[in-house]
Amino acid sequence: MISNIIIKLPLLIKNFLFQFYSYYTYSERYSTDFKYYVKNFDQYNGISLLNPSSSVPLSKEIKILYGITTLKTISDFKVIDRSDLIMMLNHSDYYNKIKFDKSLSTSGSTGAPLLIPIDNDFMKYKFASFYFFKNIHNCGINVKSGNFFGRKIFNLNKKNPPFWLHSIFTNQVLFSQYHVNEKNIRSYISAIRKYKLKTIHGYPSVLAIFSEIVQKLNLETEVHKIGLLCITVGSETLSNVQKQIIQNTFNCKVLNFYGQTEGVVD
C-alpha cells in the first residue's frame, strides 16, 4: 500500500521524503555503536555460527540440524532448505524468548518473500559486516555508490528520466531497475557519471541485462571511462557467465555479498 502511494507522488515530494528517509536510516545504521561493532567484527567473524549467542538467530538450531561442530566441518555445510528455515522460525526457543524490533523481508528469490524477525543488535552486526566486506576491497561506506533497487520507486509507465533518486546525506543514488532498457541506458550511464559514483550494488540478473545492453550498443568504452572501483551483487545466485559479462562491461571486479537479510552467509 505504502509503495503504491510513493510511486504516485510528484518527483519533488518524492525527493524530499527520500532525503528525510536516507538521513534517518544513515543515522540509525552508522551511529556511535556502529564503530564498536566494526572494531570488534574480526573476533565475531567466522565463529558466531559455531559459538552461538543470544544475538545470532537460529545458530543453535542450525548446528544441531546439520551436525556442525568445528571449523573443519564448515566446508561440508549443506544448503539450508526453505522448509527447514520456516520450521526453525516457528519452533525455535530463540524466537520464543527474544523481543524483536522489526522484521525484514527477503527478496523472494527462493520462490516467495520470507519475513525474518530481527532486533536492533542484528542490524548493527549486519551493517558492520557489509562495511567490513566493502572495506577490505577498498570500497568503504564513504565512497559514492549507486544501488539498483528491487522495490518500485517510479511508475512502470514512466518514459523519461530521472529513473533515480539522489541522497545528499549518504552519497548514494537509488536507481529503478525496472526502467533499464535500450532507450534509457544512456541516461543511466550519464547519471552514474554525473554523481561520480565509484561502486554499484544490485541484483546479478539486472546488472547482467544492463551489461548486455551496453555491449549491444557498443557503449563499453564510455562505461569504462567512469572508473568504478567495484560492483557488489546480492539477493540472487551469481553465475560465472553473469560475473564475466558484468566485469567486462564495467571493467572492475564483481564482489558477491549474498544472504544479507537472513544473515546466514554475510
Side-chain angles (χ1 to χ4, degrees):
M1 179 66 73
I2 295 178
S3 61
N4 290 334
I5 295 175
I6 293 175
I7 289 172
K8 297 177 182 178
L9 289 174
L11 183 60
L12 186 63
I13 297 177
K14 192 178 299 187
N15 265 316
F16 174 79
L17 293 176
F18 179 62
Q19 301 306 320
F20 177 81
Y21 174 77
S22 62
Y23 176 77
Y24 170 77
T25 54
Y26 186 86
S27 301
E28 182 182 41
R29 293 173 182 177
Y30 305 115
S31 61
T32 303
D33 288 343
F34 172 76
K35 297 178 182 178
Y36 168 81
Y37 284 93
V38 170
K39 182 179 179 181
N40 293 278
F41 187 77
D42 273 336
Q43 75 182 69
Y44 302 122
N45 190 33
I47 64 169
S48 56
L49 181 63
L50 303 180
N51 298 279
S53 67
S54 61
S55 63
V56 185
L58 296 181
S59 57
K60 179 180 178 181
E61 288 77 5
I62 292 172
K63 273 187 64 178
I64 294 172
L65 184 64
Y66 292 98
I68 297 176
T69 55
T70 67
L71 281 173
K72 291 181 180 179
T73 61
I74 197 71
S75 60
D76 299 324
F77 187 62
K78 299 178 181 178
V79 176
I80 300 176
D81 185 82
R82 181 185 177 84
S83 59
D84 288 336
L85 181 58
I86 294 175
M87 178 270 293
M88 288 186 283
L89 285 170
N90 291 331
H91 299 96
S92 169
D93 289 339
Y94 174 87
Y95 283 90
N96 293 328
K97 295 177 181 178
I98 302 299
K99 178 183 178 182
F100 296 100
D101 299 295
K102 63 181 76 172
S103 292
L104 291 181
S105 175
T106 65
S107 64
S109 57
T110 58
L114 180 66
L115 283 178
I116 307 290
I118 61 165
D119 57 19
N120 287 328
D121 196 50
F122 175 85
M123 291 304 296
K124 291 171 183 176
Y125 276 115
K126 174 163 294 300
F127 287 106
S129 71
F130 193 47
Y131 172 86
F132 180 85
F133 174 79
K134 293 189 72 175
N135 205 46
I136 61 176
H137 293 286
N138 299 315
C139 304
I141 59 173
N142 293 321
V143 174
K144 293 183 177 180
S145 63
N147 189 335
F148 280 78
F149 202 51
R151 293 179 175 83
K152 297 180 180 68
I153 53 178
F154 295 104
N155 190 302
L156 296 181
N157 295 322
K158 183 175 170 61
K159 302 297 183 183
N160 300 311
F163 305 107
W164 52 83
L165 297 172
H166 172 235
S167 169
I168 60 176
F169 297 108
T170 63
N171 283 330
Q172 186 181 60
V173 178
L174 207 61
F175 291 100
S176 168
Q177 65 179 26
Y178 300 100
H179 296 82
V180 174
N181 56 44
E182 291 185 23
K183 177 179 177 293
N184 300 328
I185 198 71
R186 287 181 173 83
S187 66
Y188 278 90
I189 296 173
S190 296
I192 295 172
R193 186 189 303 110
K194 173 185 175 182
Y195 293 111
K196 300 179 180 179
L197 305 184
K198 290 301 177 183
T199 71
I200 287 177
H201 180 80
Y203 292 83
S205 58
V206 173
L207 295 178
I209 291 172
F210 188 107
S211 300
E212 289 171 356
I213 296 173
V214 168
Q215 292 189 9
K216 180 180 179 180
L217 299 180
N218 296 315
L219 298 173
E220 296 104 307
T221 301
E222 190 172 342
V223 173
H224 288 178
K225 290 179 180 177
I226 294 172
L228 291 181
L229 296 175
C230 71
I231 287 178
T232 58
V233 297
S235 300
E236 295 175 344
T237 301
L238 173 67
S239 71
N240 290 331
V241 174
Q242 289 173 328
K243 182 176 181 179
Q244 197 61 53
I245 190 173
I246 295 170
Q247 282 186 164
N248 291 344
T249 300
F250 288 93
N251 196 33
C252 67
K253 55 189 174 184
V254 175
L255 308 173
N256 193 3
F257 190 75
Y258 184 85
Q260 302 97 309
T261 302
E262 296 87 346
V264 293
V265 291
D266 290 353

